[in-house]
Amino acid sequence: MYEKKDTLSWQSVTQKLLQQQRGQGIAVADLELLRGVLRFHEYRYYVLNDPLLSDFEYDQLFKSLEKLERQHPLLVTPDSPTQRVAKDLTRDFPTVQHLVPMLSLDNSYNADDLIDFDRRVKELTGLTSVEYCVEPKFDGSSISLIYKNDLLARAATRGDGLQGDEVTNNVKQIRTVPLSAPFAALGIEEIEIRGEVLINKENFNRFNEGLLQQGLPPLANPRNAAAGTLRLKDPAEAAKRKLEVFVYHISYVGSIAKASTPKALETHAGALELLWEMGFRSPHLEKKICKGIDAVIEHCTQFEHSRDELPYEIDGMVIKVNAIEWQEKMGMTSHHPRWAVAYKFKARQATTQLTGVEFQVGRTGAVTPVAKLTPVPVGGVMVSSISIHNEEYIQEKDLRIGDQVLIERAGDVIPQIVKSLTDLRKGKEKKIIFPTQCPVCNSHLFKEEEEAVWRCINIECPAQVVERIIHFVSKDAMDIRGLGEANIRKFYELQLLRDIPSIYTFNFSALENQEGFGKKSIENLQTAITASKTQPLHRLIYALGIRFVGETTARTLAAAVDHLLDFEKFSVEQLLELEDVGPKVAGSIHDFFSNKENIEMIKTLERLGLSLRNEKKGVTPSGNLSGKTFLFTGTLPTLKRSTAEEMVRSQGGLVLGGVSAKLDYLVTGEDAGSKLEKAKKINTIRIISEAEFLQLIGN
Ligand code: AMP
Ligand code: ZN
């Protein structure tokens, strides 16, 4: 939406305002300019994902705007960036009438279906070859946005297609939805735009982790999360969930002289471009114009392969006749438009029988019920068991042994039970009874108030000990290969492993007469164990399995001390000062290092030769890649992604989370997806192959 020269001038205005803000403050005369600056940076941040301003500077400017508007309430405009923060909460959602019915799409599942669709289009239009616009079918919740006199006037859900819920306040929280857009300049007074509200996979996973940590049931898929969030009563809560919107259709244009219809609106692809230019997020990059159905089929089949590379869920493609004139002539049935069809990808849902429940004890003692299922393929993966989390979850979903259940595996998301199909019950299904005693050590289970999880609090409980060892040696922790899960269980039974330190006093000679252990494998195991003693401190911290301490927090912690036992002296307050450490995490770390047995174990590990020092502290990372930023996309020919990332870090480089102007190198492998497309648009990014990457790091 902003040309390069606009970008430059907004940047210089930004600097000027920042200077004023640091000095005697921004003048009221610059109020509208300030709003412009904030809108520009919101667009860079949310729509382009390519910020030019630090969060801090943005906040400072935003606060200045709030202050000015407080001092001059008459000057507040409805599309001011401050107006995203809804003032009054709607208690419930008024029902509103759609300007044009929100229909479904006709479905197709294979090439033959698409050929049929093409035949119908040709029959209706008399064309011999049709131009189609093909785009992803976003798997979210549909939304209608009405702009009147350039302002976002109303947002509504699809509802029954004729009427939906008005959710304007919640939609105003979504930063990819502009509060105003310059339609009047095109002679458009009122316009209705359709799109899809979604939550990306990363935010979804994070949201679910949060639910699980609070002992609440996770949501089955990003689609439910998006739909549920739209209907939250509290817009501030909705804002936290980080929804996004892709717009893909203009369904109504009010008061525009036909003769002056902008050229862009003559095709669907043009409309997507126009919306993009006006500041909306539309699939303008993801769309593809295909001439004839064969090109459509090829594109759809190809796109399905890169499905998991996208940061958000899609469940298929949508194929639309590109010329709007033909769309209008073809019209719709009561159910769907005749000029479009959805091409559905392989289902990631399946029904199967819940045959039993196993109760597993984790390394923190939490007892997790796991549903055993009649194995069934879902999206290419066999699923035979699924965590059903906790007692409340079982009750809420009304799960019984013997039930037919609908399961879903969204990409990158662990499979979940969507619901039990209660209509199919035969009367013989059995209630799931939660044990009162630990299924492994028989101690009594406890449940803390406010928590949904039952725990075995016997820290010598064999299940917990084994799980702690498994975690300790795992790939992202101490990475001791050859000590796989099955071996750990076996060694525990043979009393060769008793606890974490016993890994380092392992009696290898006892293995010599064990079946399945040759000389070579024993040697390998020995080397792997010895090598792990010098793993960097952050890995050891992560390996200890302190509750709520993941890999990222472990890195933060490692960077904060010279020696692991320095944490003995840390107060909760000191821990809270560390980046991303909140009260819950700080409390858990503090508890861990206040526990005598834990300290004893750590000291034993040190005696056994493990390094507890932060070797890197004080030394700024140097190496070939010092200060350089990297990102990987696609499947690399030889390296695993995590290995490549580790190589970057070990040479002082940084791995970024997404494509932005800050990125120096994008390393691409096979089936590189949208990151590559995006990187091509920023000419300071160098796009390189794995071979070039290896050369760069001198390998
Ligand atoms: P279905 O609900 O399976 O009948 O599919 C129709 C729905 O697909 C629409 O109501 C939209 O919410 C959704 N959809 C997702 N992406 C698109 C797109 N690019 N174009 C049109 N509809 C889409
Ligand atoms: Zn137990």
Side-chain angles (χ1 to χ4, degrees):
M1 143 159 106
Y2 297 94
E3 307 268 336
K4 184 145 192 220
K5 65 177 185 335
D6 300 338
T7 303
L8 294 177
S9 71
W10 279 120
Q11 260 311 65
S12 83
V13 177
T14 307
Q15 290 313 321
K16 213 171 73 200
L17 291 183
L18 276 170
Q19 234 165 37
Q20 287 179 17
Q21 181 263 324
R22 287 188 285 261
Q24 76 269 111
I26 298 171
V28 63
D30 285 333
L31 191 57
E32 195 46 42
L33 202 58
L34 176 58
R35 288 186 189 125
V37 161
L38 287 167
R39 279 187 208 111
F40 167 74
H41 289 292
E42 287 181 350
Y43 177 77
R44 296 289 313 192
Y45 187 94
Y46 292 104
V47 179
L48 299 187
N49 208 345
D50 185 13
L52 295 171
L53 200 63
S54 73
D55 291 356
F56 177 75
E57 289 166 322
Y58 174 86
D59 285 344
Q60 295 301 307
L61 291 177
F62 193 89
K63 284 190 185 126
S64 298
L65 176 62
E66 281 181 323
K67 191 167 147 209
L68 280 173
E69 289 186 343
R70 248 193 330 270
Q71 290 163 347
H72 307 278
L74 289 178
L75 297 182
V76 179
T77 58
D79 63 339
S80 168
T82 56
Q83 299 307 296
R84 292 203 189 263
V85 189
K87 300 261 159 30
D88 21 55
L89 317 182
T90 26
R91 280 278 135 242
D92 43 11
F93 303 105
T95 306
V96 291
Q97 201 78 24
H98 292 304
L99 295 183
V100 180
M102 286 178 88
L103 300 179
S104 231
L105 287 171
D106 202 10
N107 286 328
S108 67
Y109 298 91
N110 51 43
D112 285 346
D113 292 350
L114 287 174
I115 291 169
D116 272 349
F117 167 70
D118 184 52
R119 193 178 36 75
R120 289 195 302 271
V121 173
K122 284 177 179 160
E123 274 169 18
L124 280 168
T125 59
L127 295 169
T128 48
S129 168
V130 188
E131 182 175 278
Y132 295 104
C133 182
V134 185
E135 63 207 41
K137 184 168 185 298
F138 303 101
D139 196 8
S141 186
S142 40
I143 190 91
S144 131
L145 306 169
I146 296 178
Y147 286 78
K148 268 194 193 141
N149 302 318
D150 288 355
L151 294 177
L152 173 64
R154 189 185 92 179
T157 62
R158 169 157 142 192
D160 64 3
L162 298 173
Q163 299 186 324
D165 289 338
E166 200 240 84
V167 289
T168 317
N169 277 338
N170 281 349
V171 169
K172 279 186 176 174
Q173 307 304 317
I174 306 175
R175 302 307 177 102
T176 40
V177 176
L179 296 183
S180 65
F183 291 111
L186 301 173
I188 299 173
E189 228 169 64
E190 186 177 15
I191 186 167
E192 190 192 31
I193 300 166
R194 301 274 168 81
E196 201 82 355
V197 179
L198 42 91
I199 180 165
N200 74 33
K201 293 176 198 166
E202 192 183 328
N203 285 327
F204 173 73
N205 282 335
R206 196 170 303 149
F207 177 64
N208 258 358
E209 272 163 29
L211 288 179
L212 280 171
Q213 277 182 3
Q214 292 167 55
L216 297 169
L219 299 173
N221 53 45
R223 176 174 7 95
N224 290 359
T229 305
L230 272 184
R231 284 179 186 73
L232 286 177
K233 297 275 192 276
D234 179 0
E237 196 48 45
K240 283 194 206 144
R241 309 250 185 115
K242 302 205 167 66
L243 294 179
E244 299 173 26
V245 168
F246 268 100
V247 295
Y248 47 67
H249 183 55
I250 296 177
S251 48
Y252 172 82
V253 176
S255 81
I256 183 171
K258 201 73 184 168
S260 68
T261 307
K263 189 118 187 75
L265 293 186
E266 288 173 10
T267 61
H268 175 70
L272 295 181
E273 293 287 351
L274 182 75
L275 287 168
W276 174 261
E277 275 155 26
M278 293 195 124
F280 290 86
R281 188 157 177 237
S282 75
H284 82 127
L285 277 183
E286 294 82 352
K287 71 162 192 303
K288 185 172 166 104
I289 296 175
C290 295
K291 295 199 164 56
I293 203 68
D294 291 343
V296 170
I297 294 169
E298 193 189 320
H299 180 58
C300 288
T301 346
Q302 252 178 22
F303 209 95
E304 185 163 4
H305 293 302
S306 50
R307 172 183 191 179
D308 286 337
E309 277 246 329
L310 296 172
Y312 45 81
E313 278 289 315
I314 64 173
D315 60 341
M317 306 295 283
V318 184
I319 296 102
K320 298 173 180 172
V321 171
N322 197 25
I324 303 291
E325 202 189 340
W326 281 121
Q327 289 189 2
E328 282 168 0
K329 283 189 186 146
M330 294 174 75
M332 45 189 123
T333 70
S334 62
H335 170 259
H336 60 259
R338 292 197 184 90
W339 44 266
V341 71
Y343 172 81
K344 294 273 206 168
F345 289 159
K346 266 188 240 63
R348 285 178 160 179
Q349 280 197 340
T351 47
T352 186
Q353 192 175 36
L354 195 166
T355 53
V357 177
E358 214 176 83
F359 293 89
Q360 293 181 353
V361 186
R363 84 189 130 86
T364 60
V367 178
T368 310
V370 177
K372 297 284 147 193
L373 307 168
T374 308
V376 62
V378 193
V381 174
M382 268 307 212
V383 178
S384 57
S385 64
I386 279 188
S387 166
I388 45 176
H389 311 293
N390 56 48
E391 211 177 2
E392 276 167 33
Y393 185 82
I394 295 173
Q395 268 158 18
E396 194 188 283
K397 299 248 160 181
D398 186 19
L399 301 177
R400 305 209 185 146
I401 296 169
D403 268 351
Q404 288 293 323
V405 289
L406 179 66
I407 64 175
E408 173 161 330
R409 187 185 68 90
D412 297 341
V413 175
I414 27 177
Q416 301 279 352
I417 293 187
V418 181
K419 59 178 177 184
S420 66
L421 306 171
T422 48
D423 289 348
L424 302 180
R425 280 190 184 147
K426 302 209 174 79
K428 289 205 185 116
E429 295 74 15
K430 283 202 283 294
K431 283 225 148 126
I432 297 168
I433 298 170
F434 221 87
T436 52
Q437 282 168 328
C438 173
V440 177
C441 74
N442 275 330
S443 4
H444 226 63
L445 297 181
F446 287 88
K447 181 155 109 170
E448 268 175 66
E449 251 176 84
E450 311 275 307
E451 267 211 69
V453 189
W454 287 95
R455 273 176 210 287
C456 164
I457 57 165
N458 167 17
I459 58 160
E460 274 161 37
C461 169
Q464 293 179 54
V465 175
V466 167
E467 291 298 329
R468 279 201 293 268
I469 300 177
I470 291 173
H471 175 75
F472 188 85
V473 307
S474 65
K475 184 171 111 297
D476 298 322
M478 299 302 266
D479 193 19
I480 306 182
R481 309 209 180 151
L483 210 46
E485 237 183 277
N487 278 344
I488 293 175
R489 291 188 198 286
K490 186 162 168 188
F491 296 161
Y492 185 84
E493 259 164 46
L494 294 170
Q495 298 189 328
L496 289 170
L497 283 178
R498 295 171 310 280
D499 50 17
I500 288 170
S502 70
I503 299 170
Y504 296 98
T505 53
F506 196 84
N507 178 5
F508 293 99
S509 54
L511 280 189
E512 274 159 25
N513 35 30
Q514 284 290 326
E515 210 184 312
F517 290 94
K519 202 158 171 250
K520 191 81 199 135
S521 63
I522 296 177
E523 258 172 41
N524 286 346
L525 181 58
Q526 207 159 5
T527 323
I529 291 178
T530 312
S532 76
K533 292 182 178 177
T534 51
Q535 285 285 22
L537 185 58
H538 67 86
R539 280 182 172 263
L540 176 60
I541 296 180
Y542 174 65
L544 292 173
I546 306 167
R547 250 182 114 191
F548 308 129
V549 176
E551 279 175 90
T552 317
T553 312
R555 279 180 196 274
T556 310
L557 292 176
V561 292
D562 291 317
H563 189 279
L564 181 56
L565 288 174
D566 293 354
F567 282 118
E568 263 189 293
K569 297 186 237 57
F570 266 58
S571 65
V572 172
E573 288 69 31
Q574 275 170 303
L575 288 166
L576 280 170
E577 278 169 24
L578 300 175
E579 205 176 317
D580 279 341
V581 174
K584 204 168 53 184
V585 187
S588 162
I589 299 168
H590 192 258
D591 285 352
F592 186 91
F593 287 98
S594 309
N595 179 316
K596 263 215 227 83
E597 284 158 45
N598 289 336
I599 299 297
E600 268 321 306
M601 173 185 70
I602 292 173
K603 287 184 175 160
T604 312
L605 288 176
E606 190 169 36
R607 269 199 302 280
L608 291 169
L610 271 78
S611 153
L612 307 192
R613 293 205 165 272
N614 176 4
E615 308 294 350
K616 287 216 197 95
K617 197 165 178 224
V619 203
T620 33
S622 62
N624 289 350
L625 309 184
S626 171
K628 294 271 178 267
T629 55
F630 287 80
L631 185 65
F632 296 86
T633 181
T635 322
L636 302 178
T638 66
L639 295 173
K640 273 196 5 204
R641 180 147 333 160
S642 54
T643 319
E645 289 179 350
E646 197 53 49
M647 287 164 111
V648 169
R649 288 195 195 99
S650 71
Q651 297 222 17
L654 209 67
V655 179
L656 297 188
V659 175
S660 77
K662 291 193 197 118
L663 183 63
D664 296 318
Y665 295 96
L666 180 74
V667 187
T668 57
E670 205 171 321
D671 282 335
S674 58
K675 286 180 192 160
L676 178 57
E677 291 305 314
K678 220 167 145 189
K680 282 184 185 157
K681 308 229 141 168
I682 305 177
N683 49 24
T684 51
I685 299 179
R686 298 198 38 199
I687 297 167
I688 59 174
S689 66
E690 184 195 88
E692 290 168 303
F693 168 71
L694 289 171
Q695 221 166 30
L696 197 68
I697 62 172
N699 211 330

